[in-house]
């Protein structure tokens, strides 16, 4: 990723990273996040209540996986955006058109995922990805402050609004989206996909920004910003040079998670309606989602000090290299399995854990077979083709047929 010489600033053709240039730790982390999201969505959409030891599975998914997989995914999207910006600026090419094409394409994927399958994160990623373009040259201190303010903006405003409503004796107005979400829930249980599609479209339109509170930054921008900082300081490129920094963030993540569950969720009921939830959320600064930093740091250091684990975790790397394709596929599969127009499936915890493993194993096997012949997943190829405004070579050359997750590679 080094810059070309001043005499030939664009001598290196502008193109996506190929297998030999990739940081395999990032692909493995993406694969782990994908598996975590499959498990969480089985838990959320198809869970049958259980008791005894079996209920510990549901508890474990809720406490140890839910939110952390999404947090990891958001951090890695921030890393991906930052890597693209770094490569474009190193090659001294116009950043704006390429970067905006990338975000616009992601927004289209997000619209499809949200309206067709009921999965919401990609459109939000595209929206907040624009902010990275604005703040990419800010100082490290300014970016850390931005991350903190982004994490706490919405909870703090919600707390202030609750206090204001209590002080003035004017009840808080439920958000307009509440009724739309109820309509989607009802449409999910019935058997007609067109009805569900219409309800989801209404929810999508209804949750677009309609006022200043909707434009407040959220935790996604905080994670994107931290991903940008990780790229700027080459924490992921050179983890052995940043062990203390990584260990510090791992400790912060574990402590925030513990405080969230052991202290904040045990707060007494307050006389102010709506005031407890933002406090239970740690006003966005102390929340259980930060455990994702502990997971990310553990994987990065494991692969840095024990490179053989790159091959052992290759199954996650295969899926992670096709993260966008696999995310869209699993969104479609899970929607068909869970919704009334499909199978309306309900599973006990033992069963949905096994189902999650099977679905991810199928994704990994297909990804491995595909990547043996092609450089990118199908949606990754489309995304890159639009980003660079020219068709990217898809098939592997004879030279590039070596597996990207051979033993000891990193």
């Amino acid at each position: 990723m080094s810059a070309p010489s001043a005499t030939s600033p664009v001598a290196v053709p502008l193109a996506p990273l190929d297998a030999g240039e990739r940081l395999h730790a990032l692909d493995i982390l993406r694969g782990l996040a994908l598996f975590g999201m499959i498990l969480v969505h089985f838990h959320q959409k198809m869970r049958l209540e259980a008791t005894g030891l079996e209920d510990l599975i549901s508890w474990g998914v809720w406490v140890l996986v839910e939110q952390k997989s999404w947090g990891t995914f958001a951090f890695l999207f921030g890393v991906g955006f930052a890597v693209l910006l770094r490569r474009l600026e190193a090659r001294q090419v116009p950043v704006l058109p390429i970067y905006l094409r990338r975000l616009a394409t992601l927004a289209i994927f997000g619209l499809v995922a949200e309206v067709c399958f009921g999965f919401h994160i990609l459109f939000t990623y595209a929206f907040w990805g624009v902010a990275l373009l604005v703040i990419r040259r800010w100082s490290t201190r300014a970016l850390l402050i931005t991350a903190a303010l982004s994490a706490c903006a919405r909870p703090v405003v919600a707390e202030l609004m609750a206090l204001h409503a209590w002080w003035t004796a004017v009840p808080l107005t439920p958000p307009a989206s509440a009724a739309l979400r109820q309509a989607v829930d009802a449409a999910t249980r019935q058997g007609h996909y067109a009805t569900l599609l219409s309800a989801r479209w209404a929810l999508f339109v209804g949750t677009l920004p309609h006022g200043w509170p909707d434009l407040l930054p959220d935790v996604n921008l905080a994670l994107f910003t931290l991903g940008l900082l990780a790229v700027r300081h080459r924490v992921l490129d050179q983890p052995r040079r940043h062990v203390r920094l990584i260990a510090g963030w791992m400790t912060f993540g574990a402590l925030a998670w513990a405080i969230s569950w052991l202290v904040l969720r045990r707060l007494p009921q307050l006389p102010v309606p709506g005031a407890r939830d933002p406090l239970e959320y740690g006003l966005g600064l102390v929340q259980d989602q930060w455990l994702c930093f502990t997971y990310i740091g553990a994987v990065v250091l494991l692969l840095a000090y024990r490179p053989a684990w790159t091959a052992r975790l290759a199954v996650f790397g295969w899926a992670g290299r096709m993260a966008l394709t696999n995310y869209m596929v699993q969104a479609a599969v899970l929607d068909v399995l869970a919704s009334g127009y499909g199978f309306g499936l309900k599973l006990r915890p033992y069963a949905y854990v096994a189902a999650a493993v099977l679905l991810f194993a199928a994704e990994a096997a297909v990804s491995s077979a595909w990547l043996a012949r092609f450089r990118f997943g199908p949606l990754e190829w489309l995304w890159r083709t639009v980003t660079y405004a020219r068709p990217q070579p898809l098939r592997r050359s004879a030279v590039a047929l070596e597996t990207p997750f051979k033993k000891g590679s990193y």
Side-chain angles (χ1 to χ4, degrees):
M1 299 180 186
S2 59
S5 65
T7 58
S8 56
V10 292
V12 179
L14 187 60
L17 293 177
D18 210 342
E21 301 175 90
R22 301 180 71 90
L23 289 177
H24 298 318
L26 301 184
D27 291 326
I28 289 170
L29 281 167
R30 289 188 187 98
L32 289 166
L34 283 169
F35 173 67
M37 286 191 287
I38 292 175
L39 185 59
V40 168
H41 286 128
F42 269 109
H43 169 78
Q44 290 181 337
K45 296 175 177 291
M46 294 173 241
R47 178 180 79 255
L48 284 174
E49 297 299 332
T51 57
L53 289 176
E54 193 174 3
D55 187 47
L56 289 177
I57 296 175
S58 297
W59 181 86
V61 172
W62 182 34
V63 174
L64 298 174
V65 184
E66 191 169 339
Q67 299 298 325
K68 293 75 177 176
S69 296
W70 290 314
T72 301
F73 215 49
F75 176 84
L76 294 173
F77 260 87
V79 168
F81 291 149
V83 168
L84 175 64
L85 288 169
R86 183 171 74 179
R87 296 182 74 235
L88 294 177
E89 291 180 339
R91 285 160 171 75
Q92 302 179 26
V93 298
V95 169
L96 190 62
I98 295 174
Y99 188 74
L100 291 183
R101 283 197 298 267
R102 185 172 180 82
L103 292 184
T105 309
L106 182 64
I108 293 171
F109 286 134
L111 175 63
V112 172
E114 188 162 347
V115 175
C116 296
F117 311 130
F119 287 72
H120 305 283
I121 62 172
L122 295 183
F123 190 86
T124 302
Y125 288 178
F127 182 84
W128 288 114
V130 177
L132 287 188
L133 188 66
V134 177
I135 68 176
R136 68 187 188 279
R137 293 195 180 94
W138 290 7
S139 70
T140 295
R141 175 177 293 184
L143 289 174
L144 286 172
I145 293 172
T146 298
L149 292 177
S150 299
C152 71
R154 296 195 179 206
V156 167
V157 167
E159 183 72 13
L160 292 175
M161 291 176 67
L163 292 172
H164 178 266
W166 173 72
W167 182 260
T168 60
V170 177
L172 287 171
T173 303
S177 62
L180 295 173
R181 295 184 192 281
Q182 292 176 358
V184 169
D185 290 341
T188 301
R189 294 189 292 270
Q190 55 81 52
H192 301 285
Y193 181 68
T195 302
L196 179 57
L197 197 67
S198 176
R200 285 173 174 167
W201 173 254
L203 176 62
F204 173 76
V205 174
T207 52
L208 291 174
H210 288 82
W212 68 266
D214 299 321
L215 296 174
L216 289 172
D218 65 7
V219 70
N220 289 299
L221 181 57
L223 289 163
F224 284 3
T225 304
L226 294 174
L228 171 64
L229 283 171
V231 171
R232 172 184 291 182
H233 294 284
R234 297 191 175 275
V235 175
L236 302 171
D237 304 70
Q238 303 166 346
R240 296 180 66 158
R241 296 183 59 183
H242 300 280
V243 173
R244 292 183 62 183
L245 178 62
I246 294 172
W249 277 96
M250 291 175 65
T251 303
F252 166 71
L255 287 175
W257 171 81
I259 292 170
S260 175
W261 284 101
L262 298 178
V263 179
L264 297 180
R265 293 175 189 267
R266 298 174 182 269
L267 293 175
Q269 292 295 332
L270 300 176
V272 181
R276 187 175 185 274
D277 288 347
L279 295 178
E280 188 177 289
Y281 192 59
L283 294 177
L285 293 176
V286 180
Q287 52 172 298
D288 78 322
Q289 189 177 47
W290 299 150
L291 189 62
C292 70
F293 298 136
T294 308
Y295 293 163
I296 292 167
V299 172
V300 169
L301 291 179
L302 172 66
L303 298 180
Y305 282 92
R306 297 289 185 270
W309 277 91
T310 304
R312 294 169 186 168
L313 297 175
V315 64
F316 296 102
W318 299 331
R321 283 194 58 201
M322 290 175 47
L324 178 60
T325 296
N326 284 325
Y327 178 82
M328 296 294 285
V329 167
Q330 69 192 46
V333 170
L334 289 165
D335 193 45
V336 171
L337 291 177
S339 299
Y341 75 87
F343 294 94
L345 197 62
K346 296 294 180 182
L347 298 170
R348 294 176 65 89
Y350 287 142
Y352 73 63
V353 169
V357 171
L358 288 174
L359 178 54
F360 181 79
E363 286 184 354
V366 172
S367 298
S368 176
W370 179 276
L371 292 171
R373 296 168 177 81
F374 302 101
R375 298 174 66 217
F376 313 112
L379 294 187
E380 284 77 10
W381 174 83
L382 178 60
W383 195 14
R384 285 158 172 78
T385 292
V386 176
T387 294
Y388 295 103
R390 65 169 180 265
Q392 297 296 308
L394 181 58
R395 287 192 173 274
R396 288 190 174 280
S397 66
V399 178
L401 289 178
E402 181 183 8
T403 175
F405 289 95
K406 65 180 185 295
K407 184 176 181 180
S409 65
Y410 181 69

